[in-house]
């Protein structure tokens, strides 16, 4: 018998149930509480991030009880001659969006990261969606910070195992000098 030598099983079971109920009563409200977004660790994601290809900066901010990101700056905010004479000199737009009515919106300012919520137990942001303007597709995503100046975003379809990572670097935006970049990489 599993409970041999422990006295009456019903008393032990009652005690275990009581401990579980008390524990769930203390932890449950914390796990379901939106105040997790108020924790200092949760705010670690907030800031300006240079994408891996170094041609855009994404600003992540808290919006309500989630974290979102938009394109703050891009290296090429107008089309060049390589894009054809009909586009040359025009503002870069979301021309791959699956919704034709959205294809004329500028990429700068485009909100491409939504729905991220901080998971205190795993020290990462989960439940997000990331839009890839290069192919017009939206993916699930999770984000983690291996250190305060590095962000790893994993975009995926279905489960995280079926995805890929990109690493972003924290930057501080500044006024660009003559021909300079508008950011400084944080160390």
């Amino acid at each position: 018998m599993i409970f041999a030598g422990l006295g009456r099983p019903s008393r032990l079971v009652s005690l275990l149930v009581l401990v579980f109920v008390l524990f769930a009563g203390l932890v449950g409200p914390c796990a379901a509480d939106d105040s997790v977004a108020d924790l200092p660790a949760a705010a670690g994601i907030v800031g300006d991030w240079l994408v891996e290809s170094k041609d855009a900066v994404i600003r992540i901010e808290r919006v309500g009880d989630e974290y979102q990101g938009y394109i703050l700056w891009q290296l090429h905010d107008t089309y060049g001659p390589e894009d054809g004479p009909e586009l040359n000199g025009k503002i870069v737009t979301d021309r791959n969006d699956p919704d034709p009515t959205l294809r004329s919106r500028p990429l700068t300012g485009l909100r491409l990261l939504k729905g991220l919520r901080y998971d205190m137990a795993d020290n990462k942001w989960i439940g997000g969606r990331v839009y890839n303007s290069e192919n017009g597709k939206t993916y699930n995503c999770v984000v983690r910070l291996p250190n305060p100046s590095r962000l790893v975003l994993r975009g995926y379809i279905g489960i995280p195992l079926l995805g890929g990572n990109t690493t972003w670097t924290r930057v501080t935006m500044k006024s660009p000098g003559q021909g300079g970049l508008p950011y400084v990489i944080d160390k």
Side-chain angles (χ1 to χ4, degrees):
M1 184 170 177
I2 296 174
F3 298 110
L6 295 177
R8 292 180 25 206
S10 61
R11 189 175 291 179
L12 178 61
V13 170
S14 297
L15 181 62
L16 289 174
V17 168
L18 178 63
V19 167
F20 175 76
V21 169
L22 288 173
F23 181 74
L26 293 173
V27 174
C30 293
D33 190 356
D34 288 339
S35 66
V36 169
D38 293 329
L39 295 173
I45 194 174
V46 172
D48 299 331
W49 299 92
L50 180 65
V51 299
E52 195 167 300
S53 58
K54 299 187 180 357
D55 61 355
V57 172
I58 309 302
R59 175 164 288 165
I60 298 178
E61 56 193 8
R62 182 175 169 189
V63 178
D65 63 347
E66 68 179 54
Y67 294 89
Q68 299 182 1
Y70 65 92
I71 300 173
L72 178 65
W73 169 87
Q74 53 184 336
L75 184 59
H76 303 289
D77 59 353
T78 58
Y79 291 108
E82 66 278 3
D83 297 305
E86 69 282 351
L87 293 176
N88 189 17
K90 293 184 179 176
I91 292 176
V92 175
T93 60
D94 188 17
R95 63 184 178 172
N96 295 315
D97 196 292
D99 181 347
T101 64
L102 299 177
R103 291 182 184 156
S104 62
R105 64 183 175 174
L107 280 186
T108 300
L110 179 70
R111 195 161 300 277
L112 51 75
L113 190 58
K114 300 178 185 176
L116 287 168
R117 298 179 190 278
Y118 185 64
D119 180 349
M120 187 170 46
D122 288 334
N123 194 28
K124 62 184 174 182
W125 292 261
I126 61 172
R129 306 278 288 156
V130 62
Y131 174 70
N132 182 345
S133 63
E134 292 178 10
N135 64 14
K137 295 185 180 188
T138 300
Y139 302 93
N140 297 319
C141 70
V142 296
V143 171
R144 62 183 175 81
L145 296 179
N147 64 55
S149 61
R150 294 280 183 265
L151 178 150
V152 176
L153 182 144
R154 182 163 189 82
Y156 63 94
I157 298 172
I159 60 173
L161 183 64
L162 304 174
N165 291 345
T166 184
T167 302
W168 298 352
T169 304
R170 188 181 296 273
V171 295
T172 299
M173 298 304 287
K174 65 176 184 84
S175 295
Q178 183 74 4
L181 296 171
Y183 60 82
V184 176
I185 295 177
D186 293 359
K187 297 293 177 186

